[in-house]
Amino acid sequence: MNTTTMLQLLGSGMVKTVSIFLLTLLFSLPLGLVFSFGRMSGRGPVRGIAKFYISVMRGTPLMLQMIVVYFAPYYVFGMRIPPGYRFVAVILSFVLNYAAYFAEIYRSGIESMPKGQYEAAEVLGYSKAQTFVKIILPQVIKRILPPVTNEMITLVKDTSLAFVLTEVEMFTAAKQIAAKETSILPLMAAGLFYYIFNLLVAFIMEYVEKRLNYYR
């Protein structure tokens, strides 16, 4: 395998890894907020469903969830699985899994806010929605940035699990090249990519955190 072909395979895997990362964040962050509201709901059935969902997603391996999401349409509904569904199943699995973790992060941030702020906002004539969006949420975002950053770094590494559904992301591409060329260099290159990617994520999140620092 020549150098050009090798770089093309690694580049294609890198694009797939970045795509999984970005799409997972795009959908799991807002979905996590929805489930956090369900987890804190005053309605017992809603709270119970959200709590059960979070428990299952956090208590079972992501790899198993990917297999279930991919094969469920066939075994449960008898539907034929199209080839293009593999990537969709990967994204869906990651989104559902990480939404559960983000839900608990959101919940801890929201519940850490002093009740006095809600009472003060009510005195000032703010509705519950206005209170949350204008007063509570900005403070919650600042408080939860460190744990969210940790989850994002974990997500970068977890993208390698896409190989379970034969999606060729960065690590899988590196393994294939390493096996064919009997060389460890492609794996070293993949490791360097993940490290740089995580450095970039950490740098961006640290910058955002500093921008939200009210005491600078």
Side-chain angles (χ1 to χ4, degrees), residues 168-184:
V168 183
E169 37 60 56
M170 182 66 174
F171 189 65
T172 301
K175 285 193 298 182
Q176 291 176 349
I177 296 171
K180 189 169 184 178
E181 299 296 318
T182 61
S183 170
I184 198 174

